[in-house]
Amino acid sequence: MDVYEAVTTRRAVRGFTDEPVPREALERVLSAAAWSPSGSNLQSWNSYVVTGAPLAELKKRAGERVAARDSWDEREYEMYPTDLKSPYRERRSAFGHERYSALGIEREDWEARQRAASANWDCFGAPAALFCYIDRDLGRPQWADVGMYLQTVMLLLRAEGLHSCPQMAWSVYRKTVAEILSPPNGLILFCGMSIGYEEPAVGYARTGRAPLDETVTFVHG
């Protein structure tokens, strides 16, 4: 698979089979992803890969919190600005419409939307998950470095025939994740990532992208 194919076939998959992910494949991916760029080579990512019984226990505990309607953990960062301006507000709204329409869920059906969202904490059935932390003393440029690392991981997973779904949603159950992983206190959980083989029976809508001239300006010489 070439780089262009990896980029265009990568998407947030929300339905996985239970086929185990070979550890050798994960090691290849994460060893290569270590070459991701970072300012002054700080390598600000701290990743935990979870499979088997520990992942099953994490899913169980998260599911119990969902069922009990337990309050979310206090946020350590804001996922989106409170007042999201145009054009980002419209893009987010379009995504929500496409996502729930593909599941046959009406805009007003809040209960169904909540059930769909709760699948996050089962990793959409995936047999492997990655949780990425960053040191709380680092700044915005280092958070950007973590983003480049995660993108590299997702593209390399495609080269292995695997799919993924990055999930900031795990940050609101960060204390439950910490019960399983026991990360140092100095780290913030940025996101989880479900990893596995796609379940083709799960429907999806491929979200669109803005036209090039909306996001790119060419300054010609």
Side-chain angles (χ1 to χ4, degrees), residues 14 90-105 107 113 203-209:
R14 295 180 174 85
E90 290 82 5
R91 291 175 187 166
R92 183 183 182 187
S93 178
F95 164 76
H97 175 73
E98 292 170 359
R99 161 95 172 112
Y100 292 113
S101 292
L103 296 173
I105 298 174
R107 182 181 181 86
R113 285 177 171 242
Y204 77 97
R206 186 71 192 265
T207 54
R209 293 295 186 268

PDB file of all heavy atoms in Angstrom, residues 14 90-105 107 113 203-209:
ATOM      1  N   ARG A  14     -15.900   2.478  13.059  1.00  0.00           N
ATOM      2  CA  ARG A  14     -16.671   2.306  14.300  1.00  0.00           C
ATOM      3  C   ARG A  14     -17.379   0.959  14.336  1.00  0.00           C
ATOM      4  O   ARG A  14     -18.509   0.842  14.772  1.00  0.00           O
ATOM      5  CB  ARG A  14     -17.649   3.463  14.460  1.00  0.00           C
ATOM      6  CG  ARG A  14     -16.956   4.804  14.663  1.00  0.00           C
ATOM      7  CD  ARG A  14     -17.942   5.947  14.829  1.00  0.00           C
ATOM      8  NE  ARG A  14     -17.286   7.200  15.156  1.00  0.00           N
ATOM      9  CZ  ARG A  14     -16.773   8.054  14.271  1.00  0.00           C
ATOM     10  NH1 ARG A  14     -16.852   7.764  12.972  1.00  0.00           N
ATOM     11  NH2 ARG A  14     -16.198   9.166  14.656  1.00  0.00           N
ATOM     12  N   GLU A  90     -20.138  24.658  11.090  1.00  0.00           N
ATOM     13  CA  GLU A  90     -20.924  23.978  10.047  1.00  0.00           C
ATOM     14  C   GLU A  90     -20.324  22.610   9.708  1.00  0.00           C
ATOM     15  O   GLU A  90     -21.059  21.645   9.459  1.00  0.00           O
ATOM     16  CB  GLU A  90     -20.982  24.849   8.795  1.00  0.00           C
ATOM     17  CG  GLU A  90     -21.826  26.116   8.937  1.00  0.00           C
ATOM     18  CD  GLU A  90     -21.073  27.265   9.600  1.00  0.00           C
ATOM     19  OE1 GLU A  90     -19.862  27.101   9.873  1.00  0.00           O
ATOM     20  OE2 GLU A  90     -21.689  28.323   9.844  1.00  0.00           O
ATOM     21  N   ARG A  91     -19.004  22.508   9.704  1.00  0.00           N
ATOM     22  CA  ARG A  91     -18.368  21.214   9.417  1.00  0.00           C
ATOM     23  C   ARG A  91     -18.695  20.198  10.507  1.00  0.00           C
ATOM     24  O   ARG A  91     -18.967  19.027  10.215  1.00  0.00           O
ATOM     25  CB  ARG A  91     -16.858  21.401   9.290  1.00  0.00           C
ATOM     26  CG  ARG A  91     -16.434  22.178   8.053  1.00  0.00           C
ATOM     27  CD  ARG A  91     -14.940  22.438   8.063  1.00  0.00           C
ATOM     28  NE  ARG A  91     -14.540  23.328   6.960  1.00  0.00           N
ATOM     29  CZ  ARG A  91     -13.362  23.915   6.892  1.00  0.00           C
ATOM     30  NH1 ARG A  91     -12.450  23.712   7.846  1.00  0.00           N
ATOM     31  NH2 ARG A  91     -13.066  24.698   5.876  1.00  0.00           N
ATOM     32  N   ARG A  92     -18.669  20.644  11.742  1.00  0.00           N
ATOM     33  CA  ARG A  92     -18.999  19.733  12.839  1.00  0.00           C
ATOM     34  C   ARG A  92     -20.455  19.285  12.751  1.00  0.00           C
ATOM     35  O   ARG A  92     -20.769  18.111  12.949  1.00  0.00           O
ATOM     36  CB  ARG A  92     -18.736  20.418  14.182  1.00  0.00           C
ATOM     37  CG  ARG A  92     -18.982  19.521  15.384  1.00  0.00           C
ATOM     38  CD  ARG A  92     -18.766  20.287  16.679  1.00  0.00           C
ATOM     39  NE  ARG A  92     -18.949  19.413  17.835  1.00  0.00           N
ATOM     40  CZ  ARG A  92     -18.955  19.843  19.087  1.00  0.00           C
ATOM     41  NH1 ARG A  92     -18.773  21.124  19.353  1.00  0.00           N
ATOM     42  NH2 ARG A  92     -19.131  19.007  20.082  1.00  0.00           N
ATOM     43  N   SER A  93     -21.345  20.214  12.455  1.00  0.00           N
ATOM     44  CA  SER A  93     -22.759  19.889  12.327  1.00  0.00           C
ATOM     45  C   SER A  93     -22.992  18.905  11.176  1.00  0.00           C
ATOM     46  O   SER A  93     -23.774  17.948  11.304  1.00  0.00           O
ATOM     47  CB  SER A  93     -23.567  21.164  12.094  1.00  0.00           C
ATOM     48  OG  SER A  93     -24.932  20.876  11.922  1.00  0.00           O
ATOM     49  N   ALA A  94     -22.300  19.125  10.056  1.00  0.00           N
ATOM     50  CA  ALA A  94     -22.443  18.219   8.907  1.00  0.00           C
ATOM     51  C   ALA A  94     -21.955  16.822   9.254  1.00  0.00           C
ATOM     52  O   ALA A  94     -22.563  15.824   8.847  1.00  0.00           O
ATOM     53  CB  ALA A  94     -21.677  18.771   7.710  1.00  0.00           C
ATOM     54  N   PHE A  95     -20.868  16.746  10.009  1.00  0.00           N
ATOM     55  CA  PHE A  95     -20.363  15.443  10.428  1.00  0.00           C
ATOM     56  C   PHE A  95     -21.400  14.705  11.262  1.00  0.00           C
ATOM     57  O   PHE A  95     -21.671  13.515  11.048  1.00  0.00           O
ATOM     58  CB  PHE A  95     -19.069  15.587  11.231  1.00  0.00           C
ATOM     59  CG  PHE A  95     -18.722  14.351  12.004  1.00  0.00           C
ATOM     60  CD1 PHE A  95     -18.198  13.240  11.360  1.00  0.00           C
ATOM     61  CD2 PHE A  95     -18.940  14.282  13.371  1.00  0.00           C
ATOM     62  CE1 PHE A  95     -17.898  12.087  12.069  1.00  0.00           C
ATOM     63  CE2 PHE A  95     -18.648  13.132  14.085  1.00  0.00           C
ATOM     64  CZ  PHE A  95     -18.119  12.028  13.430  1.00  0.00           C
ATOM     65  N   GLY A  96     -21.976  15.393  12.244  1.00  0.00           N
ATOM     66  CA  GLY A  96     -22.982  14.758  13.090  1.00  0.00           C
ATOM     67  C   GLY A  96     -24.165  14.251  12.282  1.00  0.00           C
ATOM     68  O   GLY A  96     -24.658  13.140  12.506  1.00  0.00           O
ATOM     69  N   HIS A  97     -24.599  15.061  11.322  1.00  0.00           N
ATOM     70  CA  HIS A  97     -25.728  14.657  10.479  1.00  0.00           C
ATOM     71  C   HIS A  97     -25.380  13.411   9.673  1.00  0.00           C
ATOM     72  O   HIS A  97     -26.169  12.455   9.615  1.00  0.00           O
ATOM     73  CB  HIS A  97     -26.114  15.800   9.541  1.00  0.00           C
ATOM     74  CG  HIS A  97     -27.181  15.442   8.568  1.00  0.00           C
ATOM     75  ND1 HIS A  97     -28.508  15.278   8.931  1.00  0.00           N
ATOM     76  CD2 HIS A  97     -27.128  15.174   7.221  1.00  0.00           C
ATOM     77  CE1 HIS A  97     -29.211  14.937   7.865  1.00  0.00           C
ATOM     78  NE2 HIS A  97     -28.400  14.869   6.821  1.00  0.00           N
ATOM     79  N   GLU A  98     -24.206  13.398   9.053  1.00  0.00           N
ATOM     80  CA  GLU A  98     -23.794  12.250   8.243  1.00  0.00           C
ATOM     81  C   GLU A  98     -23.624  11.003   9.099  1.00  0.00           C
ATOM     82  O   GLU A  98     -24.036   9.908   8.708  1.00  0.00           O
ATOM     83  CB  GLU A  98     -22.487  12.580   7.520  1.00  0.00           C
ATOM     84  CG  GLU A  98     -22.632  13.646   6.450  1.00  0.00           C
ATOM     85  CD  GLU A  98     -21.288  14.128   5.935  1.00  0.00           C
ATOM     86  OE1 GLU A  98     -20.246  13.637   6.424  1.00  0.00           O
ATOM     87  OE2 GLU A  98     -21.270  14.990   5.035  1.00  0.00           O
ATOM     88  N   ARG A  99     -23.018  11.175  10.269  1.00  0.00           N
ATOM     89  CA  ARG A  99     -22.760  10.033  11.156  1.00  0.00           C
ATOM     90  C   ARG A  99     -24.048   9.363  11.609  1.00  0.00           C
ATOM     91  O   ARG A  99     -24.220   8.150  11.477  1.00  0.00           O
ATOM     92  CB  ARG A  99     -21.965  10.531  12.362  1.00  0.00           C
ATOM     93  CG  ARG A  99     -21.996   9.621  13.580  1.00  0.00           C
ATOM     94  CD  ARG A  99     -20.829   8.692  13.633  1.00  0.00           C
ATOM     95  NE  ARG A  99     -20.804   7.991  14.890  1.00  0.00           N
ATOM     96  CZ  ARG A  99     -21.022   6.686  15.039  1.00  0.00           C
ATOM     97  NH1 ARG A  99     -21.309   5.948  13.990  1.00  0.00           N
ATOM     98  NH2 ARG A  99     -20.959   6.107  16.210  1.00  0.00           N
ATOM     99  N   TYR A 100     -24.987  10.148  12.120  1.00  0.00           N
ATOM    100  CA  TYR A 100     -26.202   9.556  12.661  1.00  0.00           C
ATOM    101  C   TYR A 100     -27.203   9.161  11.572  1.00  0.00           C
ATOM    102  O   TYR A 100     -27.968   8.211  11.757  1.00  0.00           O
ATOM    103  CB  TYR A 100     -26.830  10.502  13.690  1.00  0.00           C
ATOM    104  CG  TYR A 100     -25.953  10.625  14.930  1.00  0.00           C
ATOM    105  CD1 TYR A 100     -25.317  11.816  15.245  1.00  0.00           C
ATOM    106  CD2 TYR A 100     -25.736   9.529  15.758  1.00  0.00           C
ATOM    107  CE1 TYR A 100     -24.496  11.916  16.356  1.00  0.00           C
ATOM    108  CE2 TYR A 100     -24.919   9.620  16.861  1.00  0.00           C
ATOM    109  CZ  TYR A 100     -24.303  10.809  17.160  1.00  0.00           C
ATOM    110  OH  TYR A 100     -23.475  10.909  18.258  1.00  0.00           O
ATOM    111  N   SER A 101     -27.168   9.840  10.459  1.00  0.00           N
ATOM    112  CA  SER A 101     -28.028   9.431   9.345  1.00  0.00           C
ATOM    113  C   SER A 101     -27.639   8.049   8.844  1.00  0.00           C
ATOM    114  O   SER A 101     -28.496   7.227   8.496  1.00  0.00           O
ATOM    115  CB  SER A 101     -27.941  10.443   8.202  1.00  0.00           C
ATOM    116  OG  SER A 101     -28.505  11.673   8.568  1.00  0.00           O
ATOM    117  N   ALA A 102     -26.315   7.768   8.822  1.00  0.00           N
ATOM    118  CA  ALA A 102     -25.845   6.452   8.388  1.00  0.00           C
ATOM    119  C   ALA A 102     -26.327   5.347   9.318  1.00  0.00           C
ATOM    120  O   ALA A 102     -26.487   4.197   8.904  1.00  0.00           O
ATOM    121  CB  ALA A 102     -24.320   6.439   8.315  1.00  0.00           C
ATOM    122  N   LEU A 103     -26.586   5.708  10.575  1.00  0.00           N
ATOM    123  CA  LEU A 103     -27.078   4.737  11.553  1.00  0.00           C
ATOM    124  C   LEU A 103     -28.609   4.721  11.616  1.00  0.00           C
ATOM    125  O   LEU A 103     -29.183   3.972  12.409  1.00  0.00           O
ATOM    126  CB  LEU A 103     -26.519   5.065  12.941  1.00  0.00           C
ATOM    127  CG  LEU A 103     -24.994   4.964  13.086  1.00  0.00           C
ATOM    128  CD1 LEU A 103     -24.559   5.485  14.454  1.00  0.00           C
ATOM    129  CD2 LEU A 103     -24.519   3.526  12.884  1.00  0.00           C
ATOM    130  N   GLY A 104     -29.244   5.547  10.802  1.00  0.00           N
ATOM    131  CA  GLY A 104     -30.705   5.610  10.816  1.00  0.00           C
ATOM    132  C   GLY A 104     -31.262   6.304  12.046  1.00  0.00           C
ATOM    133  O   GLY A 104     -32.390   6.041  12.455  1.00  0.00           O
ATOM    134  N   ILE A 105     -30.492   7.216  12.635  1.00  0.00           N
ATOM    135  CA  ILE A 105     -30.902   7.899  13.864  1.00  0.00           C
ATOM    136  C   ILE A 105     -31.333   9.320  13.530  1.00  0.00           C
ATOM    137  O   ILE A 105     -30.578  10.075  12.911  1.00  0.00           O
ATOM    138  CB  ILE A 105     -29.755   7.919  14.892  1.00  0.00           C
ATOM    139  CG1 ILE A 105     -29.377   6.489  15.294  1.00  0.00           C
ATOM    140  CG2 ILE A 105     -30.136   8.737  16.126  1.00  0.00           C
ATOM    141  CD1 ILE A 105     -28.151   6.411  16.191  1.00  0.00           C
ATOM    142  N   ARG A 107     -32.304  13.274  14.162  1.00  0.00           N
ATOM    143  CA  ARG A 107     -31.651  14.333  14.927  1.00  0.00           C
ATOM    144  C   ARG A 107     -32.246  14.490  16.324  1.00  0.00           C
ATOM    145  O   ARG A 107     -31.536  14.748  17.303  1.00  0.00           O
ATOM    146  CB  ARG A 107     -31.755  15.654  14.158  1.00  0.00           C
ATOM    147  CG  ARG A 107     -31.063  16.828  14.830  1.00  0.00           C
ATOM    148  CD  ARG A 107     -31.235  18.108  14.021  1.00  0.00           C
ATOM    149  NE  ARG A 107     -30.559  19.229  14.649  1.00  0.00           N
ATOM    150  CZ  ARG A 107     -29.281  19.539  14.467  1.00  0.00           C
ATOM    151  NH1 ARG A 107     -28.537  18.800  13.669  1.00  0.00           N
ATOM    152  NH2 ARG A 107     -28.738  20.578  15.071  1.00  0.00           N
ATOM    153  N   ARG A 113     -28.923   8.528  20.034  1.00  0.00           N
ATOM    154  CA  ARG A 113     -27.606   9.149  19.882  1.00  0.00           C
ATOM    155  C   ARG A 113     -26.701   8.780  21.051  1.00  0.00           C
ATOM    156  O   ARG A 113     -25.507   8.519  20.876  1.00  0.00           O
ATOM    157  CB  ARG A 113     -27.746  10.672  19.772  1.00  0.00           C
ATOM    158  CG  ARG A 113     -28.256  11.143  18.416  1.00  0.00           C
ATOM    159  CD  ARG A 113     -28.447  12.659  18.390  1.00  0.00           C
ATOM    160  NE  ARG A 113     -28.730  13.100  17.011  1.00  0.00           N
ATOM    161  CZ  ARG A 113     -27.950  13.919  16.323  1.00  0.00           C
ATOM    162  NH1 ARG A 113     -26.846  14.390  16.846  1.00  0.00           N
ATOM    163  NH2 ARG A 113     -28.272  14.270  15.091  1.00  0.00           N
ATOM    164  N   GLY A 203     -22.522  -0.319   8.859  1.00  0.00           N
ATOM    165  CA  GLY A 203     -22.647   0.744   7.869  1.00  0.00           C
ATOM    166  C   GLY A 203     -21.936   2.017   8.293  1.00  0.00           C
ATOM    167  O   GLY A 203     -21.724   2.266   9.483  1.00  0.00           O
ATOM    168  N   TYR A 204     -21.560   2.814   7.332  1.00  0.00           N
ATOM    169  CA  TYR A 204     -20.917   4.084   7.629  1.00  0.00           C
ATOM    170  C   TYR A 204     -21.125   5.034   6.460  1.00  0.00           C
ATOM    171  O   TYR A 204     -21.456   4.615   5.356  1.00  0.00           O
ATOM    172  CB  TYR A 204     -19.414   3.896   7.873  1.00  0.00           C
ATOM    173  CG  TYR A 204     -18.597   3.710   6.617  1.00  0.00           C
ATOM    174  CD1 TYR A 204     -17.937   4.787   6.024  1.00  0.00           C
ATOM    175  CD2 TYR A 204     -18.497   2.460   5.998  1.00  0.00           C
ATOM    176  CE1 TYR A 204     -17.198   4.620   4.864  1.00  0.00           C
ATOM    177  CE2 TYR A 204     -17.754   2.290   4.841  1.00  0.00           C
ATOM    178  CZ  TYR A 204     -17.108   3.373   4.279  1.00  0.00           C
ATOM    179  OH  TYR A 204     -16.378   3.205   3.130  1.00  0.00           O
ATOM    180  N   ALA A 205     -20.917   6.305   6.751  1.00  0.00           N
ATOM    181  CA  ALA A 205     -20.922   7.322   5.695  1.00  0.00           C
ATOM    182  C   ALA A 205     -19.545   7.961   5.686  1.00  0.00           C
ATOM    183  O   ALA A 205     -19.056   8.404   6.722  1.00  0.00           O
ATOM    184  CB  ALA A 205     -21.990   8.370   5.979  1.00  0.00           C
ATOM    185  N   ARG A 206     -18.910   7.981   4.535  1.00  0.00           N
ATOM    186  CA  ARG A 206     -17.594   8.609   4.426  1.00  0.00           C
ATOM    187  C   ARG A 206     -17.777  10.120   4.456  1.00  0.00           C
ATOM    188  O   ARG A 206     -18.414  10.679   3.562  1.00  0.00           O
ATOM    189  CB  ARG A 206     -16.893   8.187   3.133  1.00  0.00           C
ATOM    190  CG  ARG A 206     -15.448   8.704   3.029  1.00  0.00           C
ATOM    191  CD  ARG A 206     -14.565   7.968   4.006  1.00  0.00           C
ATOM    192  NE  ARG A 206     -13.271   8.584   4.171  1.00  0.00           N
ATOM    193  CZ  ARG A 206     -12.166   8.218   3.505  1.00  0.00           C
ATOM    194  NH1 ARG A 206     -12.230   7.252   2.595  1.00  0.00           N
ATOM    195  NH2 ARG A 206     -11.014   8.800   3.745  1.00  0.00           N
ATOM    196  N   THR A 207     -17.276  10.759   5.502  1.00  0.00           N
ATOM    197  CA  THR A 207     -17.465  12.198   5.627  1.00  0.00           C
ATOM    198  C   THR A 207     -16.660  12.937   4.565  1.00  0.00           C
ATOM    199  O   THR A 207     -15.559  12.522   4.200  1.00  0.00           O
ATOM    200  CB  THR A 207     -17.053  12.691   7.024  1.00  0.00           C
ATOM    201  OG1 THR A 207     -15.713  12.263   7.288  1.00  0.00           O
ATOM    202  CG2 THR A 207     -17.977  12.109   8.084  1.00  0.00           C
ATOM    203  N   GLY A 208     -17.222  14.023   4.082  1.00  0.00           N
ATOM    204  CA  GLY A 208     -16.589  14.776   3.016  1.00  0.00           C
ATOM    205  C   GLY A 208     -15.465  15.674   3.518  1.00  0.00           C
ATOM    206  O   GLY A 208     -15.197  15.767   4.718  1.00  0.00           O
ATOM    207  N   ARG A 209     -14.806  16.342   2.597  1.00  0.00           N
ATOM    208  CA  ARG A 209     -13.749  17.277   2.926  1.00  0.00           C
ATOM    209  C   ARG A 209     -13.999  18.588   2.193  1.00  0.00           C
ATOM    210  O   ARG A 209     -14.594  18.612   1.105  1.00  0.00           O
ATOM    211  CB  ARG A 209     -12.370  16.716   2.536  1.00  0.00           C
ATOM    212  CG  ARG A 209     -11.944  15.495   3.355  1.00  0.00           C
ATOM    213  CD  ARG A 209     -11.747  15.865   4.825  1.00  0.00           C
ATOM    214  NE  ARG A 209     -11.207  14.753   5.614  1.00  0.00           N
ATOM    215  CZ  ARG A 209     -11.937  13.861   6.273  1.00  0.00           C
ATOM    216  NH1 ARG A 209     -13.267  13.925   6.201  1.00  0.00           N
ATOM    217  NH2 ARG A 209     -11.363  12.915   6.981  1.00  0.00           N
TER     218      ARG A 209
END
